[in-house]
Amino acid sequence: MMSVNDPAVLAEITALFARYEQALGGNDINALNAMFWPSDLALRYGAGENLYGFAAISGFRAARAGGSPPRTLRNTVITTFGRDLATTNTEFLRVGTERIGRQSQTWVRMTEGWRIVAAHVSFMAATS
């Protein structure tokens, strides 16, 4: 039977999620790139772009002046499945706006360590 939220695995991913957030806020492009799977199969759907493959993801980061605007997180949910798969989901508010953003990541333990294989960032519409 698969273990969900094994405490040791959950602690690993929770620490990596915090490291990702720190790198995002500090525009640490090297750290952000190191967290993504360096594969043509990696993807990141951003608020205004669809990025297919590590080259596109890292190129987007390099071209983005100043990095991500400051934000606060809320309603973060981290779930692990077995020892090698995890999802992280959070809502965020950028400083100076009330618009709710959402971020999801799928993490897989690779030979070289945990990597994000898919990510999605979007903003909620005013109405649905």
Side-chain angles (χ1 to χ4, degrees):
M1 182 168 215
M2 179 188 306
S3 174
V4 175
N5 282 348
D6 172 272
V9 180
L10 186 59
E12 287 179 57
I13 292 299
T14 299
L16 285 167
F17 179 79
R19 223 167 100 208
Y20 181 91
E21 191 62 25
Q22 181 180 16
L24 186 66
N27 198 32
D28 186 341
I29 295 169
N30 290 332
L32 291 167
N33 286 342
M35 290 185 218
F36 271 85
W37 183 31
S39 168
D40 290 342
L41 299 175
L43 66 90
R44 180 184 176 276
Y45 293 148
E49 64 288 330
N50 294 333
L51 305 170
Y52 297 95
F54 180 77
I57 296 167
S58 60
F60 167 79
R61 295 252 184 246
R64 187 176 185 182
S68 179
R71 64 191 198 164
T72 57
L73 304 183
R74 68 182 197 187
N75 298 322
T76 301
V77 177
I78 299 174
T79 310
T80 66
F81 303 89
R83 299 213 34 86
D84 301 321
L85 179 68
T87 60
T88 62
N89 294 276
T90 195
E91 295 176 13
F92 62 88
L93 295 171
R94 288 184 172 164
V95 174
T97 183
E98 294 182 20
R99 192 168 178 205
I100 299 169
R102 299 167 294 187
Q103 172 185 295
S104 63
Q105 299 168 331
T106 302
W107 293 76
V108 176
R109 188 192 308 267
M110 306 286 184
T111 305
E112 63 276 12
W114 287 99
R115 297 294 181 266
I116 299 166
V117 299
H120 185 155
V121 178
S122 61
F123 289 91
M124 292 185 67
T127 60
S128 60

